[in-house]
Amino acid sequence: MTDFAAIRNLFHITESCGFDVKELQPWISRYGRIPEVLKDYYVELGAHPQLNGSQDFLIKPKDLHQYKNDDYLIFYLENQGACVWGIRWDDVAASNPPVYENYGNEEWYQTSESLTEFLHAMAYFQAVISMEFSNEEYWKIDEHVVERIKLLLPSKQADSGLYTGVQFFGQAGEVIAVMNNHDGYLLMFSAEDEQRFDELHATLQRLVDGEGIGNQNEFD
C-alpha cells in the first residue's frame, strides 16, 4: 500500500476514510486497470470531505463515467470546472505515473512527476482552504516577497506545477501557499488555531513590508 502518512498527519486522519474497492471495479474493468497509487488513495482517503472537496474535487467512483477522454484518465476536477487533472492512457499501467492538467483545450500540461507528488500538493492546497483560520482574500505579492518567504519560512517539500505552479511553506499546523499569477504571485495562508494564525499573519505582513530579513532565528 502507498504511504500517505504526511497527508494523514496534515488532516489528522487516523482511520480509513475511503471508498470500497468494489466501487472502483466498473472503472477498473472498463480501463483494464488503474495506477496502484490512485487505487490506494481512493480506498484509504478518497471519501474524506475536506481533503477531497474543500476547493477542488476528487471525482467520486460513481461519477467517473462522466469524464470520458480518449487520451487521459481524468480523476480530479477544479471547483468551477475550469480545469481537470488526468493520467495519460499510455501511463495507466504504471503504479505512480505523472499527472497532467487541462484547461478545456487540446493541450495538456504536466502538473507533477508522479501521482504521489500531485496528491500531496493537492492536500496542502485543500488544507490552506479548509483550515479554520485563513486570509479571506488572496494577497498579491511580487518576486521579492517570495524570496523573503523562502529565506524565513520552512518549505513543506510539496511544490508542484499545480495551477501552473504553487509552493508551500509553514510550520506544523499552518500552511502558506504561493501561486504563480500572470502578473506576479498570489499568497494564501491558514492555521488551525487563532493564535497561530495571528502570529502567521503578522509575520507575513512584515515580509510584505520588507521587514524581518536577517532575523532567521525567529523560525528555528
Side-chain angles (χ1 to χ4, degrees), residues 32-45:
R33 62 176 298 175
I34 62 173
E36 181 181 357
V37 169
L38 187 59
K39 183 174 75 171
D40 289 347
Y41 186 83
Y42 267 97
V43 172
E44 287 190 43
L45 301 172

Side-chain angles (χ1 to χ4, degrees), residues 156-185:
K156 295 288 191 181
Q157 302 299 315
D159 297 350
S160 169
L162 186 69
Y163 282 118
T164 70
V166 58
Q167 304 167 72
F168 298 98
F169 305 88
Q171 307 285 353
E174 63 189 34
V175 179
I176 301 152
V178 176
M179 296 179 61
N180 292 346
N181 195 31
H182 61 88
D183 58 353
Y185 298 86

Side-chain angles (χ1 to χ4, degrees), residues 15-207:
E15 298 179 353
S16 177
C17 52
F19 296 98
D20 191 305
V21 69
K22 293 179 181 178
E23 296 181 73
L24 293 172
Q25 196 55 51
W27 196 31
I28 295 171
S29 297
R30 173 180 176 163
Y31 301 124
R33 62 176 298 175
I34 62 173
E36 181 181 357
V37 169
L38 187 59
K39 183 174 75 171
D40 289 347
Y41 186 83
Y42 267 97
V43 172
E44 287 190 43
L45 301 172
H48 190 281
Q50 285 75 40
L51 172 59
N52 300 300
S54 291
Q55 170 68 18
D56 302 323
F57 303 99
L58 180 72
I59 300 173
K60 295 179 180 179
K62 67 181 181 64
D63 297 326
L64 286 165
H65 68 280
Q66 299 179 27
Y67 299 92
K68 298 176 184 177
N69 185 279
D70 292 337
D71 300 307
Y72 287 82
L73 185 162
I74 296 171
F75 67 97
Y76 225 103
L77 176 69
E78 192 268 343
N79 72 93
Q80 295 181 334
C83 68
V84 296
W85 291 272
I87 300 160
R88 295 191 308 177
W89 286 123
D90 292 344
D91 296 331
V92 294
S95 63
N96 195 19
V99 176
Y100 295 80
E101 185 171 309
N102 179 272
Y103 285 85
N105 51 44
E106 294 184 1
E107 189 169 4
W108 287 75
Y109 305 89
Q110 186 170 328
T111 290
S112 62
E113 295 289 337
S114 66
L115 261 168
T116 51
E117 180 184 304
F118 170 84
L119 292 169
H120 280 82
M122 184 59 81
Y124 278 104
F125 191 74
Q126 302 278 34
V128 81
I129 299 295
S130 64
M131 283 185 175
E132 185 171 359
F133 299 92
S134 64
N135 60 322
E136 295 182 359
E137 296 182 353
Y138 297 159
W139 291 9
K140 291 185 177 181
I141 59 175
D142 59 24
E143 182 71 35
H144 298 292
V145 177
V146 177
E147 292 305 314
R148 293 171 190 144
I149 291 173
K150 290 180 179 179
L151 281 171
L152 294 177
L153 293 163
S155 170
K156 295 288 191 181
Q157 302 299 315
D159 297 350
S160 169
L162 186 69
Y163 282 118
T164 70
V166 58
Q167 304 167 72
F168 298 98
F169 305 88
Q171 307 285 353
E174 63 189 34
V175 179
I176 301 152
V178 176
M179 296 179 61
N180 292 346
N181 195 31
H182 61 88
D183 58 353
Y185 298 86
L186 297 177
L187 175 67
M188 300 177 287
F189 55 94
S190 63
E192 293 180 335
D193 62 77
E194 188 171 9
Q195 179 179 350
R196 189 187 300 271
F197 175 78
D198 289 343
E199 293 171 353
L200 180 60
H201 185 284
T203 295
L204 292 172
Q205 187 65 64
R206 290 199 301 272
L207 296 184

